[in-house]
């Protein structure tokens, strides 16, 4: 008999131990990928610690943001953050799943939950940026209806910018809910 596994997604304080561990894992991975690709080495440990500490995630707290944590069979597995940039535009950020849990069906409900969180905050549009080397992310966003658009920020590491209409008319009839349980 096949074992059923479950994904759950729920809000999490940006400064909880779980959120902090996920932020560290996310930042380490994307920073190391950039340095390995462009300079042939991993991130300098001092730089890594400085950047992790400098970006606390406070913008992902109410009333203008939210951090969501995905759990796989109850264990922390990933995160996605949303923050309002204007009253009707939110930014999707910190979308991450631990590498050993990728390909198990968690990314789609995680992003869908972030979209619902953005709608709850009043957003009618979601934007995001990513890099060329993050092929998996670009593929996920395109599959979920995000379209590539012009530059919308000055982040020196951003190379691709995406947008998606979150207005009620654009939501599929069976859109997942915020605290979703997905079976695999």
């Amino acid at each position: 008999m096949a074992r059923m596994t479950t994904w759950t997604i729920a809000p999490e304080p940006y400064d909880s131990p779980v959120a902090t561990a996920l932020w560290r894992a996310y930042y380490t991975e994307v920073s190391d990928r950039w340095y390995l690709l462009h300079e042939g080495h991993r991130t300098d440990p001092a730089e890594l610690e400085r950047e992790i500490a400098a970006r606390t995630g406070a913008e992902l707290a109410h009333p203008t943001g939210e951090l969501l944590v995905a759990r796989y069979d109850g264990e922390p597995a990933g995160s996605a953050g949303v923050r309002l940039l204007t009253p009707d535009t939110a930014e999707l950020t910190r979308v991450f799943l631990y590498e050993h849990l990728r390909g198990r069906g968690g990314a789609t409900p995680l992003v869908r939950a972030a979209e619902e969180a953005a709608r709850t905050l009043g957003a009618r549009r979601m934007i995001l940026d990513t890099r060329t080397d993050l092929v998996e992310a670009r593929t996920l966003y395109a599959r979920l209806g995000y379209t590539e658009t012009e530059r919308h920020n000055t982040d020196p590491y951003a190379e691709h910018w995406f947008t998606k209409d979150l207005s009620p008319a654009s939501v599929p009839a069976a859109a997942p809910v915020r605290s979703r349980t997905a079976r695999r």
Side-chain angles (χ1 to χ4, degrees), residues 9 68-70 78-80 95-97 106-115:
I9 299 162
L68 300 169
V69 168
S79 64
V95 177
F96 173 76
L97 288 173
T108 294
L110 181 57
V111 172
R112 296 279 192 230
E115 292 169 356

Side-chain angles (χ1 to χ4, degrees), residues 53-69:
R55 300 179 184 194
T56 66
E59 71 279 7
L60 304 177
H62 281 287
T64 59
E66 184 159 73
L67 179 70
L68 300 169
V69 168

Side-chain angles (χ1 to χ4, degrees), residues 113-144:
E115 292 169 356
E116 185 58 33
R119 282 186 199 91
T120 300
L121 293 170
R124 295 184 320 179
R125 179 173 78 117
M126 184 85 86
I127 62 172
L128 64 93
D129 65 68
T130 191
R131 298 189 326 232
T132 299
D133 64 304
L134 300 176
V135 175
E136 316 88 1
R138 292 190 354 257
T139 301
L140 171 68
Y141 301 135
R143 184 170 47 81
L144 295 178

Side-chain angles (χ1 to χ4, degrees), residues 31-100:
S31 183
D32 280 353
R33 281 177 72 163
W34 191 90
Y35 275 110
L36 286 167
L37 179 66
H38 296 282
E39 297 185 13
H41 63 82
R42 294 192 182 282
T43 311
D44 174 83
E47 177 187 350
L48 189 65
E49 292 307 315
R50 186 174 56 251
E51 291 300 314
I52 288 170
R55 300 179 184 194
T56 66
E59 71 279 7
L60 304 177
H62 281 287
T64 59
E66 184 159 73
L67 179 70
L68 300 169
V69 168
R71 287 181 167 77
Y72 186 72
D73 279 349
E75 295 298 317
S79 64
V82 174
R83 68 181 181 131
L84 285 178
L85 300 177
T86 69
D88 67 348
T89 301
E91 179 182 35
L92 180 62
T93 186
R94 295 191 186 195
V95 177
F96 173 76
L97 288 173
Y98 285 121
E99 187 174 9
H100 70 281

